[in-house]
Amino acid sequence: MPLFQSSSTKLTLLQKVPLFEGLSQRQLRLIAQLADEVDIPAGKRLATAGETGHEFFVIVDGHVAVKIRTGRTVRLGPGDVFGEMSLIDGGPRSATVEATTPLRLLVVGHREFWQLLAEAPPIAHTIMRTLCRRLRDAEAAPTA
Ligand code: CMP
């Protein structure tokens, strides 16, 4: 499997990602240009709490473990996103994220992330909803 797919193969893949549902063909073509499709082996660390973050990730296939500083671990899978927090506020990674299975990811760099949100507002809405849900979950979680 090549590391980066041709743009037509990538377009077919993007159409199956829930985050991109309802977007126009023009928006999907732009995302195909902005996002790299990458296959990652199980066990690889994708973000380290406290370090600077440079990428935003969309899980196409596979699962990751998000190890939050409180000691809690959250499992994310197909359709979920991570890495948005550091790109939005410029702060360090809030959690360590590791692949628990082989992964297929869409990876978006910092500059491309803002371009993506500007060009496809529904993605910005989904990310805002995700942030709100994570905040509510974090507040509802029992303290260690
Ligand atoms: P970021 O802080 O850039 O890097 C670590 C990522 O873990 C973070 O962005 C979120 O995408 C994700 N993350 C942090 N806290 C939670 C949580 N409570 N539930 C799910 N994902 C989280």
Side-chain angles (χ1 to χ4, degrees):
M1 174 71 62
L3 193 58
F4 301 118
Q5 299 277 296
S6 74
S7 59
S8 64
T9 317
K10 206 196 273 180
L11 260 185
T12 311
L13 178 109
L14 293 181
Q15 280 161 348
K16 295 182 194 151
V17 176
L19 179 65
F20 305 136
E21 255 169 34
L23 298 184
S24 66
Q25 283 298 312
R26 192 193 69 78
Q27 286 170 319
L28 288 175
R29 275 198 301 276
L30 178 81
I31 294 166
Q33 286 169 20
L34 297 178
D36 290 325
E37 187 194 343
V38 181
D39 289 319
I40 301 287
K44 187 165 170 67
R45 181 175 287 200
L46 296 151
T48 303
E51 291 190 356
T52 304
H54 301 286
E55 290 117 356
F56 165 70
F57 304 88
V58 181
I59 303 176
V60 178
D61 278 318
H63 288 85
V64 300
V66 180
K67 297 173 185 172
I68 300 163
R69 284 174 194 262
T70 57
R72 209 159 58 93
T73 297
V74 177
R75 200 170 124 91
L76 301 180
D80 289 328
V81 301
F82 62 94
E84 75 291 345
M85 290 173 64
S86 291
L87 297 201
I88 289 170
D89 71 359
R93 292 292 195 201
S94 59
T96 293
V97 184
E98 287 173 356
T100 52
T101 67
L103 285 177
R104 176 161 298 174
L105 296 174
L106 292 169
V107 184
V108 181
H110 198 171
R111 195 155 45 90
E112 291 78 9
F113 176 73
W114 289 109
Q115 205 179 335
L116 190 70
L117 299 194
E119 298 285 344
I123 296 180
H125 296 165
T126 302
I127 290 173
M128 283 192 270
R129 273 199 306 276
T130 301
L131 279 168
C132 292
R133 201 184 62 237
R134 287 178 181 167
L135 179 62
R136 287 180 196 279
D137 286 351
E139 288 186 343
T143 47

